[in-house]
Amino acid sequence: QVQLVESGGGLVQAGGSLRLSCAASGRTFHSYTMGWFRQAPGKEREFVAGINWNGGNTSYADSVKGRFTISRDHAKNTVYLQMNSLKPEDTAVYYCAADFPGNTILVTYWEYDYWGQGTQVTVSS
């Protein structure tokens, strides 16, 4: 069992930055692939970024490549999403998710095993 708690969302102007954090409980955090997804009103939940168990492999949606960076800290049981050059279209609720085992980065939300409650990110123009 893994419990995930996101933080770091908020309101920011276009061009600004935010760093989201996802704190995980459980001793097996290092065994999971971790992903960030987002969902805007009226839209389906979409993949944003993912990182495999040891951080050696990452994947990004085309819409965020070059602007967002995912990382993880096993000592703190935390995964981060650094978001730079934010755009109004990045506005959404951002969710952290965990998938076991942690070798492959999946981009489909229904394949992840555990989810956080989400954190709102709003980018004003």
Side-chain angles (χ1 to χ4, degrees):
Q1 186 80 10
V2 175
Q3 292 185 325
L4 305 172
V5 179
E6 301 99 333
S7 61
L11 173 64
V12 64
Q13 288 188 329
S17 298
L18 283 174
R19 189 176 80 156
L20 305 183
S21 299
C22 173
S25 65
R27 295 176 294 175
T28 58
F29 169 73
H30 64 276
S31 302
Y32 287 78
T33 284
M34 300 299 296
W36 285 99
F37 289 76
R38 66 187 181 188
Q39 188 165 19
K43 295 188 176 182
E44 191 170 87
R45 191 168 297 191
E46 64 174 358
F47 174 79
V48 174
I51 187 167
N52 75 327
W53 71 276
N54 67 358
N57 188 24
T58 59
S59 180
Y60 298 92
D62 288 343
S63 59
V64 307
K65 278 181 183 175
R67 300 189 297 124
F68 291 10
T69 303
I70 189 171
S71 61
R72 66 192 299 165
D73 185 334
H74 285 172
K76 296 183 178 179
N77 271 17
T78 300
V79 62
Y80 303 98
L81 185 68
Q82 178 66 44
M83 305 186 295
N84 298 329
S85 302
L86 283 161
K87 304 175 181 180
E89 51 263 44
D90 294 318
T91 295
V93 177
Y94 283 70
Y95 297 91
C96 172
D99 172 61
F100 181 84
N103 297 318
T104 303
I105 299 173
L106 302 174
V107 300
T108 45
Y109 68 86
W110 57 84
E111 295 188 272
Y112 280 73
D113 303 306
Y114 302 102
W115 291 86
Q117 82 289 350
T119 185
Q120 176 70 47
V121 171
T122 303
V123 184
S124 63
S125 57

